[in-house]
């Protein structure tokens, strides 16, 4: 995100996580400004209004990850169906051979 840039303020039905990778920005969350800098992680719940603003003079980089209930359910079903969950559990408990 270039200096002076900002995302549009928005809210949506998905959960979202933002991870600050480099630089410094500000978040506007439900009307409150919050510093957001490299290494910070924030979580937004569905319907929570949020925005990122780069008011500094350096680029700001972040990752955004979002999901909703349908996506989480489908992931869980696929995880169970493929046996990945059972294999990971067996490995964690030392039962894998």
């Amino acid at each position: 995100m270039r200096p002076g840039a900002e995302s549009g303020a928005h809210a949506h039905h998905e959960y979202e996580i933002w991870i600050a990778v480099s630089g410094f920005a500000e978040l506007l969350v439900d009307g409150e400004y919050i510093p957001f800098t490299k290494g910070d992680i924030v979580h937004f719940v569905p319907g929570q209004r949020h925005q990122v603003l780069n008011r500094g003079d350096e680029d700001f980089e972040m990752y955004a990850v979002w999901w909703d209930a349908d996506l989480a359910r489908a992931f869980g079903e696929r995880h169970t169906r493929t046996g990945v969950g059972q294999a990971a559990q067996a490995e964690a408990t030392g039962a894998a051979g």
Side-chain angles (χ1 to χ4, degrees):
M1 174 179 266
R2 295 296 219 197
E6 57 186 62
S7 69
H10 63 283
H12 38 74
H13 78 276
E14 298 94 356
Y15 292 89
E16 190 167 23
I17 292 175
W18 286 355
I19 304 164
V21 176
S22 66
F24 175 83
E26 283 185 305
L27 302 178
L28 179 56
V29 181
D30 294 332
E32 180 181 349
Y33 287 95
I34 302 166
F36 190 43
T37 190
K38 179 181 178 179
D40 289 348
I41 301 172
V42 294
H43 173 250
F44 304 108
V45 297
Q48 187 173 29
R49 193 162 178 80
H50 54 281
Q51 178 179 15
V52 62
L53 308 97
N54 184 355
R55 295 181 176 171
D57 56 2
E58 296 181 14
D59 286 352
F60 173 74
E61 294 180 299
M62 63 177 242
Y63 283 108
V65 179
W66 59 265
W67 69 98
D68 62 13
D70 290 338
L71 181 64
R73 184 174 33 262
F75 177 81
E77 290 169 358
R78 185 176 65 242
H79 189 72
T80 300
R81 185 175 58 251
T82 61
V84 173
Q86 293 88 350
Q89 181 64 29
E91 184 177 322
T93 61

